[in-house]
Amino acid sequence: MDAAALTPVTQQISGRASLTAVPTGPDRGQPLAAAVAELPVVDAAGVRVPFGELFRERRAVVLFVRHFLCYVSKEYVEDLAKVPRSVLEEANITLIVIGQSSYHHIEPFCKLTGYSYEIYVDPEREIYKRLGMKRGEEIASSGKSPHIKSNILSGSIRSLWRAVTGPLFDFQGDPAQQGGTLILGPGNNIHFIHRDRNRLDHKPINSVLQLVGIQHIDFTNRSSVIHV
C-alpha cells in the first residue's frame, strides 16, 4: 500500500455549481483513497460492507454523526428522517448515516428517530480518522441549528436518561468524536466535505441537499418525533 493512499483527506471541498450534475473531466471531484474506500462499515445485522460500495453506483449524501446517545445527533437524524423518499429517488441520491457505536445500537436508534434510510457504523472510527474528522470540541460559534430543539441542559439530561435506562450502559460511541458531511460518488469521488468543529457545527440539511439539486424542504411544518 503506497504512502499516498494512507494520507487522510484534509481539504475542505465545496462548490454548488459542480454538484447539480456529476462532474466529468478536469472538474471531477477529489478522489477518495482506495484504501479508505476498502475500509468496512457494519450494518444492523452485523454484516461488514466496504465503505466504497455504498456510493459506487450513484451519488450519496453521507453524514457521520457523533455517538448515538448525543441529543444533537438524535434530533438532527429525526429531521433527516423527514426527507421524502420520493425526493431522493427523483434526484437519484442515496442518504446514508454512519455512526461509531456497536452495530447492536443501530436498530434502537432508528426506532427512536424514525430514520428509515441507509445506516451503518464504523466501530473502530477508522474512516472517521482517515477522513480527518475532529476529535474534541473546538470552541467556535456555529450559529443556531434549525434542527436542534433542545438546549444543552435538557438535551444532556435526556441523553443521560437514555443511557441509564438502556439495556447496555455505554455512550454508544466515543463522546469526543465529532462527525461531518460528505457528498460522494458515483465511484470514489468526493464532491463536498465538511468536518464538524463541535457538536453544533453540522451543515443544515437543506444546504447539503441543495448541492445535489434537491429543493428546499420545510422541516418546521412536519410533525416531530418526540422521545424522552
Side-chain angles (χ1 to χ4, degrees):
M1 190 177 298
D2 57 39
L6 295 172
T7 304
V9 177
T10 56
Q11 182 182 1
Q12 191 102 337
I13 303 172
S14 63
R16 291 175 181 269
S18 64
L19 291 170
T20 55
V22 178
T24 59
D27 296 325
R28 234 176 142 73
Q30 177 178 329
L32 179 72
V36 179
E38 292 167 2
L39 289 171
V41 291
V42 187
D43 69 13
V47 177
R48 293 161 69 90
V49 181
F51 179 50
E53 288 296 323
L54 307 184
F55 42 85
R56 189 169 306 284
E57 300 299 327
R58 64 176 178 170
R59 217 170 350 166
V61 173
V62 184
L63 302 115
F64 287 80
V65 300
R66 300 180 72 241
H67 61 96
F68 281 165
L69 280 180
C70 171
Y71 75 93
V72 172
S73 296
K74 168 187 170 288
E75 295 181 7
Y76 187 84
V77 174
E78 282 177 348
D79 272 2
L80 278 178
K82 299 170 188 174
V83 177
R85 189 174 297 273
S86 59
V87 167
L88 295 172
E89 291 175 348
E90 182 178 354
N92 197 28
I93 294 295
T94 302
L95 187 61
I96 301 169
V97 166
I98 295 181
Q100 33 119 5
S101 73
S102 162
Y103 73 89
H104 296 96
H105 294 300
I106 292 179
E107 186 174 347
F109 185 71
C110 289
K111 288 181 178 178
L112 181 70
T113 59
Y115 181 82
S116 61
Y117 300 116
E118 291 189 43
I119 182 168
Y120 305 86
V121 290
D122 173 22
E124 303 302 321
R125 297 185 294 113
E126 283 301 319
I127 301 173
Y128 282 80
K129 296 172 188 174
R130 297 288 290 279
L131 291 176
M133 300 295 179
K134 183 177 177 60
R135 191 172 181 275
E137 292 261 3
E138 181 179 326
I139 300 175
S141 175
S142 301
K144 182 174 175 58
S145 169
H147 307 294
I148 309 308
K149 299 87 180 171
S150 303
N151 60 42
I152 189 169
L153 178 60
S154 63
S156 298
I157 290 172
R158 290 190 182 105
S159 294
L160 180 60
W161 178 253
R162 286 198 287 129
V164 300
T165 57
L168 298 173
F169 184 80
D170 63 45
F171 285 104
Q172 301 182 22
D174 182 350
Q177 180 66 59
Q178 303 301 324
T181 303
L182 295 93
I183 297 173
L184 298 157
N188 290 347
N189 291 306
I190 304 175
H191 303 289
F192 173 85
I193 182 167
H194 168 83
R195 299 174 186 82
D196 300 346
R197 297 171 295 172
N198 54 56
R199 70 189 67 192
L200 293 174
D201 191 42
H202 49 256
K203 297 294 289 182
I205 297 170
N206 271 318
S207 69
V208 178
L209 294 181
Q210 286 169 8
L211 293 177
V212 292
I214 295 177
Q215 297 303 310
H216 181 87
I217 294 172
D218 185 1
F219 293 102
T220 61
N221 293 331
R222 294 173 176 271
S223 59
S224 178
V225 181
I226 303 297
H227 295 277
V228 178

